[in-house]
Amino acid sequence: MSKNELDSALQNDASDESPQHPDLFAPQFVNIKNFAIRYAKKSKGNAPTLVLLNGFPQSIRLWERFWLPLSANFDLLALDIPGFGLSKTEESVMSPRQLSEILIHVFDHFDVEKAHLVGPDVGVPIAIATAISNGNRLRSINIFDGPGSYPPKMSPILNMVIKSRLVRWMANGLNKKPVMKTNFRTAVSDGYHQYKPNGRAIEEYYQITHDNQSHRSAISYFASYQQDLPWIDQHLSKIEVPALITWGKLDPFVYVDNATYLSKRIPNNRLVVFDQASHFSSEDAGNDHLENLTEWCLGGYLKC
């Protein structure tokens, strides 16, 4: 992919809004278990903690527009999942179950005793695995736009990446550049129905999609779905942590049927579908998602 792809995206797909100054998401890293993890943190004090994960192929900049409104009610910790965003890790740990254990080490490092965990996209199976294995560290989870069962109800191309070793080999080799281009287009345009990210986010998503290590890590993560998603599926009915399940009805990648399935299987949950939102539904739904998440974490989860 050439630099022209970035220039075109900045011209055609970026919002007219100027990025915030100072940059609240200027990359900063902490070393945990020998992994360099990118994070952002803001403390209100004497408030519930929200831990916000990123989706793929994005970063925690997806929370930029919600950061200040959420900080009025919560202590915030956002982190790029190891292997995704700007966080680096080894391919050997790229699976939902292993990353959920690394997440607990992140909790420990930042002295987070208990939190509401928000997992979009690739963060969905990580959030669910955390609820299964370390539910005592969570007040609730908010999951959206990612798989939590097997086989997942996803677009044909994503299913091929999950199931076919040949497809993954090609995505890491001969087809690497076209896959990177597709990932970039998804991050800045194809994953939305109405929202547009700002130019700073687009530039960061370009950096992420062009990083060879990040690309390989993502492919390894999708390969792990064949082992981890059946395990997650088997444990859904045993989850005790309340779950807010939100989804974009127009999601062309991870279909809204996943939300319906999860709502039937997870015991204590609330399901909200945003009619005009696509794959990156938190940004696409905007204030609707913000209001649902805020009300849920301020006490709505106790009513499930």
Side-chain angles (χ1 to χ4, degrees):
M1 190 191 312
S2 70
K3 186 70 161 46
N4 290 337
E5 184 74 17
L6 172 59
D7 294 337
S8 175
L10 289 171
Q11 181 177 351
N12 299 315
D13 300 314
S15 70
D16 294 330
E17 297 180 9
S18 299
Q20 296 177 359
H21 293 285
D23 182 3
L24 301 177
F25 289 85
Q28 57 181 335
F29 297 85
V30 61
N31 191 284
I32 299 176
K33 292 294 178 180
N34 295 320
F35 303 134
I37 297 177
R38 186 264 193 95
Y39 74 98
K41 191 174 186 291
K42 187 172 179 62
S43 296
K44 172 181 172 60
N46 298 315
T49 298
L50 267 63
V51 175
L52 307 168
L53 305 181
N54 64 308
F56 172 78
Q58 298 176 314
S59 70
I60 53 175
R61 285 197 184 276
L62 71 91
W63 296 111
E64 192 167 5
R65 69 188 300 206
F66 294 147
W67 193 249
L68 293 180
L70 286 174
S71 70
N73 293 294
F74 306 105
D75 289 341
L76 302 178
L77 174 63
L79 59 125
D80 281 350
I81 300 165
F84 293 106
L86 298 180
S87 294
K88 304 302 180 186
T89 190
E90 301 168 358
E91 290 181 57
S92 60
V93 302
M94 291 303 296
S95 73
R97 279 187 279 184
Q98 292 187 84
L99 290 174
S100 74
E101 294 300 326
I102 294 174
L103 179 60
I104 295 301
H105 290 299
V106 175
F107 275 43
D108 293 340
H109 177 88
F110 286 103
D111 296 322
V112 176
E113 181 179 350
K114 210 163 189 175
H116 299 281
L117 177 59
V118 184
D121 190 55
V122 293
V124 168
I126 296 171
I128 297 176
T130 305
I132 293 168
S133 299
N134 290 283
N136 62 310
R137 302 298 297 272
L138 302 178
R139 297 187 186 277
S140 78
I141 57 175
N142 172 211
I143 50 177
F144 51 97
D145 312 332
S149 61
Y150 195 83
K153 300 170 178 61
M154 304 173 79
S155 65
I157 184 61
L158 286 177
N159 272 319
M160 285 192 291
V161 173
I162 293 169
K163 295 177 180 179
S164 172
R165 183 177 297 179
L166 175 61
V167 170
R168 294 192 298 272
W169 176 78
M170 294 179 67
N172 270 327
L174 295 175
N175 284 352
K176 181 173 68 174
K177 288 186 178 180
V179 172
M180 287 178 168
K181 180 176 181 178
T182 298
N183 288 341
F184 179 63
R185 293 302 308 162
T186 297
V188 303
S189 178
D190 297 346
Y192 298 108
H193 175 61
Q194 50 195 357
Y195 178 76
K196 287 188 173 184
N198 63 45
R200 191 163 57 194
I202 288 176
E203 289 177 344
E204 189 163 290
Y205 300 162
Y206 184 88
Q207 175 185 350
I208 292 166
T209 54
H210 281 71
D211 184 86
N212 286 324
Q213 182 181 350
S214 296
H215 181 76
R216 292 193 302 270
S217 292
I219 298 298
S220 296
Y221 184 77
F222 293 135
S224 77
Y225 280 175
Q226 293 185 80
Q227 289 75 44
D228 277 25
L229 288 183
W231 177 85
I232 287 172
D233 203 346
Q234 292 169 7
H235 289 82
L236 290 175
S237 62
K238 302 174 185 177
I239 293 176
E240 298 181 358
V241 176
L244 174 62
I245 304 167
T246 54
W247 223 273
K249 188 175 182 179
L250 305 178
D251 192 333
F253 305 119
V254 188
Y255 304 143
V256 70
D257 291 349
N258 291 276
T260 305
Y261 180 86
L262 291 171
S263 182
K264 291 178 180 178
R265 295 291 310 282
I266 298 175
N268 305 308
N269 77 84
R270 179 191 298 173
L271 173 62
V272 179
V273 175
F274 303 117
D275 288 341
Q276 296 302 312
S278 187
H279 179 62
F280 300 121
S281 65
S282 59
E283 293 169 291
D284 240 3
N287 285 335
D288 284 344
H289 183 265
L290 175 63
E291 291 169 4
N292 273 276
L293 178 60
T294 300
E295 184 276 331
W296 171 264
C297 294
L298 287 178
Y301 73 100
L302 296 172
K303 301 174 184 178
C304 281

